[in-house]
Amino acid sequence: MFRMELLQNDKVRYANQPIAVVIAETLEAATEGAALLAPSYETEAARTGLDGNESFVPPGVGIGHPAVVTHGDVEGALARATHRIEATYETPAQYHNAMEPHAIVAAWNGDALSIDTPSQGLAMAQGRIAGLFGIAPGRIHIRSPFLGGGFGSKGLISGPQILGILASKLVGRPVKLVLRREHMYGPVGHRPPSRQRLRIGTAADNSLVAIDHHAKITTSSFDDFYEPAADASHTLYASPAISTSHEAVRIDSGTPLFIARARRGHRIDRAGKRDR
């Protein structure tokens, strides 16, 4: 999980994936250099959307949670329920666009590294960088005085930040690398689209007797983060019978990651009508 995208090969896994880093004396020169790149591609059929590939039961969801959890007799409770509701909801992919950009200023002094970058997890970033570059964590100094966006996908160090560190090591000078808005759609995580089916049963007094929550979500073709969309039913509602389950689809996108935002989706009833 959490594999780095560091230009390891010439494989393009999703649209707008970063394919190069241009290093220059000024922002204008770097921008011009990037604009002059003229890559050529061999095209393959893209797999997109919740129905873009075969689905499977993931080995786990979130950080080590089981994909399927059941408490009580859900089917029996639904059959005996006084009232039953069944509905399917779809949510689109959601991407971070924090006011605070993904950025890094990296400078090497021998095998010591100084970094200015926004980070919610300084110790995790220090350990990850140390492992990638083969240096002691104590040789890495990270300054992040103004986080400003703990949920702006700043929890983990990302591939573009590591590319900034590599660029600094290559030229032997401090390097600043900042992601632009169009760079946000892939290498720094997002919430994947979902299709969630809910079956709910209540007693005559409207108390819950059963919840069945099934979520279909997407992940990337090259990594293994699975959004635990259905798990919310275990912590939000008290019911003697609850079942949550997940299925996943690998598509050609960046890898989903943690994101904290309100969901907004479409409800699809059994007649196939949509509302907002």
Side-chain angles (χ1 to χ4, degrees):
M1 189 187 292
F2 309 138
R3 297 172 185 166
M4 285 284 184
E5 295 181 58
L6 299 173
L7 311 181
Q8 293 99 324
N9 53 45
D10 61 359
K11 180 75 171 178
V12 178
R13 302 183 179 98
Y14 56 87
N16 296 319
Q17 175 185 323
I19 60 169
V21 175
V22 177
I23 308 170
E25 293 278 354
T26 66
L27 174 61
E28 291 76 13
T31 301
E32 180 181 12
L36 292 174
L37 292 174
S40 60
Y41 302 92
E42 293 182 7
T43 60
E44 300 177 359
R47 300 163 295 181
T48 61
L50 287 160
D51 301 308
N53 208 345
E54 294 184 3
S55 62
F56 60 95
V57 177
V61 295
I63 304 297
H65 299 169
V68 179
V69 178
T70 299
H71 300 290
D73 180 8
V74 173
E75 295 300 331
L78 286 171
R80 295 187 297 271
T82 304
H83 305 287
R84 286 182 295 274
I85 297 172
E86 181 175 344
T88 298
Y89 299 86
E90 291 191 3
T91 62
Q94 297 175 327
Y95 289 82
H96 297 280
N97 268 275
M99 292 176 65
E100 176 193 43
H102 287 259
I104 189 168
V105 177
W108 288 87
N109 182 14
D111 67 345
L113 175 63
S114 295
I115 298 171
D116 291 89
T117 192
S119 174
Q120 187 185 11
L122 295 172
M124 290 190 296
Q126 197 177 43
R128 189 69 188 272
I129 295 168
L132 288 170
F133 288 90
I135 59 178
R139 302 292 289 169
I140 302 168
H141 181 62
I142 304 176
R143 291 180 290 266
S144 186
F146 307 110
L147 175 57
F151 292 116
S153 58
K154 306 300 192 314
L156 300 173
I157 200 82
S158 64
Q161 290 163 301
I162 299 298
L163 290 173
I165 298 171
L166 285 167
S168 175
K169 193 172 186 65
L170 177 66
V171 299
R173 294 173 57 184
V175 167
K176 177 195 289 185
L177 187 149
V178 182
L179 268 64
R180 303 194 318 194
R181 288 292 169 204
E182 60 266 35
H183 301 149
M184 298 292 294
Y185 300 92
V188 294
H190 66 283
R191 173 178 286 147
S194 74
R195 182 178 297 143
Q196 301 182 48
R197 185 194 67 183
L198 281 164
R199 294 187 299 156
I200 300 174
T202 67
D205 63 357
N206 293 324
S207 62
L208 291 169
V209 297
I211 300 174
D212 178 42
H213 189 172
H214 178 76
K216 184 177 185 179
I217 46 88
T218 66
T219 191
S220 70
S221 63
F222 58 93
D223 210 344
D224 297 305
F225 182 85
Y226 304 98
E227 170 79 8
D231 281 1
S233 288
H234 282 290
T235 54
L236 288 178
Y237 304 106
S239 175
I242 299 179
S243 176
T244 59
S245 56
H246 299 80
E247 62 178 309
V249 176
R250 290 195 181 278
I251 63 172
D252 298 315
S253 73
T255 303
L257 278 176
F258 314 104
I259 178 170
R261 293 291 184 271
R263 286 183 179 272
R264 183 185 182 190
H266 297 280
R267 176 180 178 273
I268 305 177
D269 63 22
R270 279 173 290 184
K273 298 178 181 178
R274 292 166 66 98
D275 59 23
R276 296 191 71 83

